[in-house]
Every structure is written in structure tokens, then in C-alpha cells.
Amino acid sequence: MKMKYLVVPVLLAAFSAQVMAADCSVTVDSTDAMRYDKNEIAIDKSCKEFTINLKHSGKLAKNVMGHNVVIAKSSDADAVARDGIAAGLDNGYLKPGDDRVIAHTDLIGGGEQTSTTFEVAKLKEGESYTFFCSFPGHISLMKGTLAVK
């Protein structure tokens, strides 16, 4: 009889801990219509690392309608995208070694998925961050804000 009364509180405590734990990842979907399904990513300040999972639910190949997720300071985003054009498709339209890029996924085509994990400590409090697609011209429609909260 006593065992029943012990199991319930233990199960409730375990469930409560899972509910209260921060979700340190997000899934972002992208389409052939040059859209992300999110325009904001909020990272819980308790996360040490954060993972962005990118899905491309479209059908077009990456050389035609490739997508990625790139994170940079908002003040650097347009320049990173502009400079990445010269880097070309093989480099995911990102200049190799660009220090302004905090994190990025691979460039993917329709039906593919990828992810990136980065240290949240790379983001400074009070700074404004943007996530965007570096495929030429996509930043005009495919961007959003990223913040630690």
C-alpha cells in the first residue's frame, strides 16, 4: 500500500522538472515561396547551447531555391549576405571565415534538413541579432529576430 503513495509524488516531480526545463532548440521550416515559418527565435537564458533545426519543405533544388539559417548581429546581416554572394553556392553563399557569422546551417534544397548548434555565450546581452537566409536575394523576405530572454 505504501508503495503506491511513493510512486505518484516521484512521477509528478520528474514530470514537473521536464516541463520546467528550458527548450534549447527550435525547428524552422522554409519553403519554395522564400519564407520561414518563424520571424522570431527566443532563446531561454538558461540554455548553454542552442540548436536550430532547419527543414526545407519545398521541392526545388538548392541551386535554384536553397535555404540556410545564418545568425549575425543585426547591424552585420545585410553585409554578410552581400559578401556571401561572391563566395558562391559551394560555400553556402557565406564568405569562408567570416567573423561576423555567429552560427549557420548548411545550405539545403527541397526535402532536406540540417541543423546547427552554438554556444549561447556568443550572444551578448543588449545586442540585436538577426537570423536570415544567405542565398542571393533571400534576406529580403527570409529573416527574423533572435534574442536571449
Side-chain angles (χ1 to χ4, degrees), residues 61-64 66 84-94 107-108 135-136:
K62 75 177 177 181
N63 65 325
V64 177
I85 294 171
L89 178 66
D90 289 342
N91 290 307
Y93 296 107
L94 288 170
L107 189 72
I108 58 172
F135 193 94

Side-chain angles (χ1 to χ4, degrees), residues 6-117:
L6 287 175
V7 170
V8 172
V10 169
L11 288 175
L12 285 174
F15 180 73
S16 296
Q18 285 183 329
V19 169
M20 294 177 65
D23 188 3
C24 297
S25 69
V26 67
T27 298
V28 177
D29 189 31
S30 59
T31 68
D32 287 340
M34 284 179 37
R35 298 278 185 214
Y36 289 135
D37 69 339
K38 295 182 177 33
N39 58 15
E40 179 180 305
I41 296 174
I43 301 173
D44 190 288
K45 63 184 172 188
S46 68
C47 295
K48 300 287 184 225
E49 291 185 331
F50 193 80
T51 300
I52 297 176
N53 301 298
L54 176 65
K55 292 169 49 175
H56 190 322
S57 61
K59 300 202 181 322
L60 297 173
K62 75 177 177 181
N63 65 325
V64 177
M65 188 59 64
H67 300 315
N68 61 3
V69 172
V70 180
I71 300 168
K73 290 180 184 177
S74 296
S75 59
D76 292 334
D78 287 326
V80 168
R82 198 171 39 253
D83 293 348
I85 294 171
L89 178 66
D90 289 342
N91 290 307
Y93 296 107
L94 288 170
K95 182 175 141 186
D98 192 335
D99 292 340
R100 300 169 295 179
V101 174
I102 295 164
H104 68 88
T105 66
D106 290 335
L107 189 72
I108 58 172
E112 296 180 320
Q113 53 189 352
T114 187
S115 66
T116 185
T117 300

Side-chain angles (χ1 to χ4, degrees), residues 94-149:
L94 288 170
K95 182 175 141 186
D98 192 335
D99 292 340
R100 300 169 295 179
V101 174
I102 295 164
H104 68 88
T105 66
D106 290 335
L107 189 72
I108 58 172
E112 296 180 320
Q113 53 189 352
T114 187
S115 66
T116 185
T117 300
F118 61 95
E119 294 176 19
V120 176
K122 291 183 174 185
L123 306 174
K124 293 184 176 53
E125 191 174 333
E127 184 69 58
S128 175
Y129 296 95
T130 297
F131 69 94
F132 61 94
C133 179
S134 66
F135 193 94
H138 288 197
I139 191 171
S140 62
L141 296 174
M142 297 183 76
K143 64 182 169 184
T145 60
L146 183 134
V148 178
K149 297 184 177 188

